[in-house]
Amino acid sequence: MSYVNEVIDRVIRENPNEPEFHQAVKEVLLSLEPVVAEHEEQFRRDALLERLVNPERQVKFRVPWIDDKGQVRVNTGYRVQFNSAIGPYKGGLRLHPSVNLGIIKFLGFEQIFKNSLTGLPIGGGKGGSDFDPKGKSDREIMAFCQSFMTELSKHIGADTDVPAGDIGTGAREIGYMFGQYKRLCNQFTGVLTGKGLPFGGSLARTEATGYGLLYITQEMLRCHGIDIAGKTVCVSGAGNVAIYAIEKAQQLGAKVVTCSDSTGWIYDPDGIDVALLKEIKEVKRARLTEYLAGRPDAQYHEGKGVWSVPCDIALPCATQNELHLADAKQLVANGVVAVSEGANMPTTEDATAYLQAQGILFLPAKAANAGGVATSALEMSQNSERLHWTFEEVDAMLKGIMVNLYHNVDDAAKKYGFDGNYVVGANIAGFEKVMEAMMAQGIV
Ligand code: NDP
Ligand code: 2IT
C-alpha cells in the first residue's frame, strides 16, 4: 500500500465518526501523491504526513450561558490548532447546531493549505460551537459569546492563534468576543479579525471572501478567453460570502439570478437585488421569504434547488456538501462552464470528479475563498503597525493576492502534469511551503 493510503487508512481508523474530516484528508493526500513520491523515504522516516493530519492541539470545553427566561443552557466549544509551521493559527469560529469535532477538524485541516496559498504568514486552525444563533436575542448572543471567550481566551493570542468569523459568527459576535477578551486579559491586541472598524477592524474584510471569490474566478475565466461580463451566475447561500459574491459579480457585469438560505431559495430573473438582500439578512436577520415583498416578480421555493437554474457560472457559498452529483449533472446539462467554491468543501467528492471529467473549470475552496483569510491577515498587519489602510488599498492587495494565487495553483498543476486540475494544483502549492517549514523546524 502507498504511504499516502496508509496514512488515510490510519486517519479513518483513529478518527471514527468524522466523515467530513476523512473527506478533506483524502482529497488533499491523494493529490499529494506526486510530491510524496519524490520524497517518500524522508517523509516516511520523519512521519511527515502523520504529523500533518494530527492537530498540534485541540481544546473542547463547556460553554454555559443563561437564556432570557433565566434557564441555564450548555453548549460545547471547540478550538483546533492544527498547524503553526508558517505562522500563528488562523481560522474562523463556526456557530451552528451541526458543529462537532469532525467538522472543526475538516475546516482546520483545509485552512492549513488555504492560508499557505495566500502567501501570508498564517498557520491553520478553526473553532466554534454547536450553539444555534437563530432566534436568539441580542442579550443571549452576548451571554453565549462572553462565556465562550472566557474559556477560549486561555488558548489564543495575537501571536498564538487569531480566530475570526465563519457561519453564524459575524461582526456582532466578534465584537462581543473582543470585548470579553479585552476585559479578561487587559490587552487591546489583534487577537480576533473581522472586528468593527472603530476598534481595529480592516476596511474590506466584510466584503473580502465574496469579492476575492470573484477576482480569482474572473482571472481563471480570463485565462481561458472568457469574459465574465454578461454571464449568468447561480449563487447558493445568503450570508456573508454569498452577499458580497453577488455584489462583486454584478459590479463585473454578470447577472446573478439565485440565492438561498437553509429553508428555501430565490430565483430572480432580473438579477438579485443586493440592497434588499442585505436589508433582509444583515439588518433584519429575517428569512428569504421577505424578498418577495420587495421583488414581486421573483420566485421563492421551499427546500433546495438553485442548481436546477441554467447558468454559466455556479458559486456554492452556503456550507459543506451542498452540491451533489445530481446537481453537477444538471449544471453540466444546462451548460455551466465554471464552478468556484465560496463555501468550504461545498461540492461532494463524486460531484467534483464529475465536473472535472466533463471539462468544467473547477476552482476548489482553499483557492477560491482564500480572500477572506488573506484580508484577515492584512487586518493583523494593520493592527501590528497600529495603522489603517484605505478601502482601495486593501481591495487592491486582495485582488493582487487572488490573481497571484490563481497562477500559483495553475503552475503547480502544470508542473506535475495535471494541467487545469486546480484541486491538485491548490493542494500541492499549499502543501509545499508548509512541508518545507515543517522539515526545517525539526520533529515538533
Ligand atoms: P453565514 O452564516 O453568513 O451564511 C451562511 C449561509 O449559508 C446562510 O444563508 C445559511 O442559511 C446558509 N447555510 C448555512 N448552513 C447551512 C446548512 N447546513 N444548510 C443550508 N444552508 C445553510 O456564513 P458565511 O457566509 O460566512 O459562510 C458560508 C460558507 O463560506 C461556509 O462554508 C464558510 O466556512 C465559508 N467561508 C466563510 C468565510 C468568511 O470570511 N466568512 C471565509 C471563507 C469561507 P441560514 O441563515 O438559513 O442558516
Ligand atoms: O474559512 C475561512 O477561511 C474563514 N472562515 C475565514 C478565516 C479568517 O481567519 O478570516
Side-chain angles (χ1 to χ4, degrees):
M1 192 188 281
S2 76
Y3 177 38
V4 156
N5 279 306
E6 280 173 33
V7 175
I8 291 173
D9 273 11
R10 188 166 161 185
V11 165
I12 294 171
R13 208 170 52 242
E14 292 180 355
N15 303 270
N17 309 316
E18 296 181 0
E20 294 86 1
F21 180 51
H22 304 166
Q23 185 182 341
V25 167
K26 257 167 68 184
E27 186 219 272
V28 171
L29 292 197
L30 291 173
S31 300
L32 298 181
E33 292 262 26
V35 188
V36 173
E38 285 178 0
H39 306 267
E40 174 142 359
E41 208 183 311
Q42 187 181 10
F43 281 12
R44 274 185 184 274
R45 188 196 61 209
D46 293 349
L48 190 97
L49 296 184
E50 288 88 337
R51 286 189 286 140
L52 190 70
V53 298
N54 264 297
E56 289 176 17
R57 185 178 301 106
Q58 53 193 43
V59 287
K60 179 176 175 192
F61 49 95
R62 181 171 75 201
V63 188
W65 56 280
I66 301 173
D67 73 14
D68 285 346
K69 296 193 180 109
Q71 174 66 50
V72 176
R73 307 268 207 114
V74 181
N75 288 101
T76 304
Y78 302 90
R79 186 72 183 167
V80 174
Q81 299 180 330
F82 223 116
N83 191 300
S84 63
I86 65 168
Y89 311 106
K90 183 87 197 83
L93 296 170
R94 177 172 293 191
L95 301 182
H96 193 272
S98 63
V99 163
N100 56 44
L101 184 61
I103 296 271
I104 300 298
K105 278 166 69 180
F106 118 64
L107 291 162
F109 185 70
E110 289 280 294
Q111 202 83 43
I112 303 170
F113 309 97
K114 181 196 306 193
N115 293 4
S116 167
L117 285 170
T118 66
L120 299 167
I122 38 178
K126 200 85 186 190
S129 172
D130 58 358
F131 173 75
D132 186 358
K134 277 203 195 80
K136 302 291 188 295
S137 70
D138 245 20
R139 196 209 59 80
E140 290 175 323
I141 297 283
M142 183 170 69
F144 170 82
C145 289
Q146 290 182 340
S147 181
F148 182 78
M149 182 51 85
T150 300
E151 178 58 32
L152 187 69
S153 63
K154 298 168 190 163
H155 309 284
I156 61 176
D159 293 315
T160 308
D161 182 358
V162 183
D166 194 80
I167 291 177
T169 307
R172 173 180 61 169
E173 292 73 22
I174 294 290
Y176 291 147
M177 289 183 197
F178 184 77
Q180 183 73 350
Y181 181 87
K182 187 162 55 67
R183 183 185 187 199
L184 290 168
C185 301
N186 198 24
Q187 277 183 0
F188 195 114
T189 61
V191 68
L192 294 164
T193 60
K195 298 184 292 298
L197 296 178
F199 53 98
S202 174
L203 285 160
R205 175 62 188 90
T206 304
E207 295 83 356
T209 313
Y211 279 22
L213 174 67
L214 268 294
Y215 292 145
I216 193 167
T217 302
Q218 182 187 33
E219 181 64 7
M220 173 178 75
L221 293 171
R222 193 187 66 76
C223 291
H224 290 83
I226 302 167
D227 188 351
I228 196 167
K231 295 289 177 291
T232 300
V233 181
C234 282
V235 168
S236 65
N240 174 265
V241 179
I243 288 172
Y244 293 95
I246 296 170
E247 182 168 282
K248 182 53 73 178
Q250 291 180 343
Q251 287 172 11
L252 298 177
K255 181 154 107 176
V256 184
V257 292
T258 65
C259 63
S260 65
D261 66 14
S262 54
T263 50
W265 58 284
I266 292 288
Y267 171 60
D268 188 339
D270 299 326
I272 297 291
D273 181 338
V274 186
L276 177 60
L277 188 62
K278 284 185 186 174
E279 175 68 19
I280 296 167
K281 287 296 176 183
E282 294 183 338
V283 182
K284 293 189 187 157
R285 301 178 186 278
R287 310 310 308 162
L288 270 182
T289 39
E290 301 227 349
Y291 188 86
L292 295 185
R295 298 279 274 202
D297 290 339
Q299 300 168 14
Y300 174 80
H301 303 271
E302 293 282 323
K304 295 182 64 174
V306 294
W307 312 126
S308 65
V309 175
C311 64
D312 305 299
I313 301 163
L315 305 175
C317 297
T319 194
Q320 65 275 358
N321 293 328
E322 53 154 317
L323 198 163
H324 298 247
L325 179 59
D327 302 318
K329 287 186 173 166
Q330 192 147 23
L331 283 167
V332 171
N334 286 337
V336 78
V337 295
V339 177
S340 290
E341 296 186 318
N344 284 308
M345 207 169 76
T347 317
T348 58
E349 268 174 289
D350 51 1
T352 303
Y354 179 79
L355 291 168
Q356 289 184 313
Q358 297 296 314
I360 308 305
L361 300 172
F362 180 84
L363 208 50
K366 54 176 82 65
N369 72 30
V373 76
T375 307
S376 278
L378 300 179
E379 182 171 327
M380 290 166 71
S381 301
Q382 293 169 79
N383 293 163
S384 295
E385 60 175 18
R386 298 185 196 281
L387 289 174
H388 277 299
W389 305 338
T390 65
F391 186 94
E392 290 70 25
E393 283 173 312
V394 179
D395 190 39
M397 281 189 239
L398 167 63
K399 189 165 188 184
I401 288 167
M402 298 312 289
V403 167
N404 251 325
L405 201 160
Y406 169 74
H407 289 284
N408 289 339
V409 166
D410 188 41
D411 289 348
K414 286 182 176 138
K415 181 174 154 197
Y416 286 94
F418 290 88
D419 196 354
N421 187 334
Y422 305 121
V423 173
V424 170
N427 288 332
I428 291 181
F431 171 71
E432 281 184 328
K433 185 168 147 192
V434 175
M435 164 193 83
E436 269 182 49
M438 285 177 74
M439 296 207 295
Q441 290 171 25
I443 305 306
V444 291

